[in-house]
Amino acid sequence: MPLYEYMCEDCDKEFEELVFGDPAVLCPHCGSARTDKLMSRCRHKRGGASEPVGAATAASSGSGSSCSGCAASSCAGCR
C-alpha cells in the first residue's frame, strides 16, 4: 500500500498518509491543503526498533557518542 510522507506548508508538521490515486492530502494537524510530498527515508528494522539506514549507534561506531549530530552518550534517551 502506498504510504507517503508529507510536510505541511502552514504548520511545518511532517506526517504520513496512505494515498490511493492522486487526491488532495490535508494536514491532520491543522487541516491545510498546502502539503508537499517528501522523499521517504529508507528505514530498516534492527533489534525491534526501526532506524534510518546508515544510523550509527554507540555500540557499532566504537565512539563515545551515539549517532552523528547527537550529544547523548547512548541511544536510550532518544527513544
Side-chain angles (χ1 to χ4, degrees):
M1 288 189 215
L3 184 66
Y4 296 103
E5 295 179 32
Y6 290 87
M7 177 159 211
C8 178
E9 293 180 18
D10 290 335
C11 70
D12 292 327
K13 302 265 186 183
E14 288 187 20
F15 61 95
E16 294 178 339
E17 190 72 28
L18 184 63
V19 178
F20 296 100
D22 194 21
V25 176
L26 301 178
C27 175
H29 303 283
C30 71
S32 173
R34 294 179 26 151
T35 57
D36 293 322
K37 189 183 292 187
L38 302 175
M39 291 288 287
S40 294
R41 294 179 290 267
C42 184
R43 299 177 83 67
H44 72 281
K45 197 167 186 168
R46 183 184 345 164
S50 181
E51 298 179 11
V53 169
T57 62
S60 64
S61 68
S63 66
S65 67
S66 56
C67 29
S68 63
C70 181
S73 61
S74 77
C75 289
C78 297
R79 296 181 189 176

